[in-house]
Amino acid sequence: MEDKPQGCLWCDYRGPVIAGEIISVVNPQVTLQHELRRCPECKATMVDIRWPDRIVRRKVRESPRRFRRSLWVIVYPVECAWCGSHNTDAYEVNATVSNPVSTRFKYDIYRCLDCERPNAISYLGEVYVHRADQDKEFFSLWHLDPDVE
């Protein structure tokens, strides 16, 4: 494992980041070990995911809870399926999709900050991006790859 990630994904810091404990995340791509890392410059958090042949670093956000452990959510790098922009951000984790590609997939909703349209990402070993549309009647329900108007 010579290919170890370096630096912070949130800021321009390129030095070593501080290692933390092993955490459980709400939206894991795979069931591998997730080691928490914290940037000494901006104090942002990341996780290192240990694959057998490499280590992958992802952004992670903490959602503190009262009297219980925090929830950790991985922020995947997502390209907008509508406009191709990389300026996206997590909006809803573990969303309910009316027409899933596979019942094994879990879905998160990401908003494009440029075109302001929703994207659904599915992850099971690999991250896939789909155009998404919110149901007009049931707001917690999403549809994948709607017809383009």
Side-chain angles (χ1 to χ4, degrees):
M1 263 192 290
E2 300 298 322
D3 192 22
K4 293 183 180 180
Q6 292 293 318
C8 180
L9 299 175
W10 297 95
C11 70
D12 292 333
Y13 178 73
R14 292 292 153 233
V17 291
I18 302 164
E21 76 264 24
I22 304 301
I23 61 169
S24 294
V25 294
V26 175
N27 58 341
Q29 183 180 357
V30 289
T31 56
L32 295 173
Q33 190 178 58
H34 292 72
E35 184 178 9
L36 186 66
R37 301 278 177 167
R38 192 172 304 274
C39 176
E41 290 285 319
C42 69
K43 307 298 185 225
T45 52
M46 297 152 285
V47 290
D48 282 355
I49 306 163
R50 298 186 175 280
W51 291 75
D53 59 341
R54 66 188 184 279
I55 299 172
V56 177
R57 183 166 290 166
R58 296 275 187 240
K59 294 178 179 178
V60 68
R61 288 196 181 126
E62 181 180 15
S63 180
R65 299 186 301 172
R66 240 182 150 168
F67 308 118
R68 292 188 279 172
R69 286 185 178 178
S70 295
L71 294 176
W72 293 94
V73 176
I74 295 178
V75 179
Y76 293 102
V78 174
E79 180 179 310
C80 179
W82 298 94
C83 71
S85 170
H86 290 278
N87 191 15
T88 57
D89 200 8
Y91 177 73
E92 182 179 336
V93 175
N94 292 330
T96 303
V97 170
S98 66
N99 56 337
V101 173
S102 169
T103 55
R104 298 180 346 169
F105 287 157
K106 291 183 177 180
Y107 292 91
D108 293 348
I109 303 297
Y110 278 62
R111 289 267 185 209
C112 178
L113 302 177
D114 292 334
C115 72
E116 298 182 6
R117 296 185 96 170
N119 295 270
I121 68 161
S122 59
Y123 44 91
L124 184 62
E126 196 169 330
V127 176
Y128 297 97
V129 183
H130 307 272
R131 290 178 288 115
D133 195 18
Q134 194 169 22
D135 193 272
K136 305 289 186 253
E137 189 174 349
F138 304 103
F139 297 118
S140 63
L141 185 63
W142 296 88
H143 304 284
L144 297 183
D145 300 318
D147 294 330
V148 179
E149 299 169 0

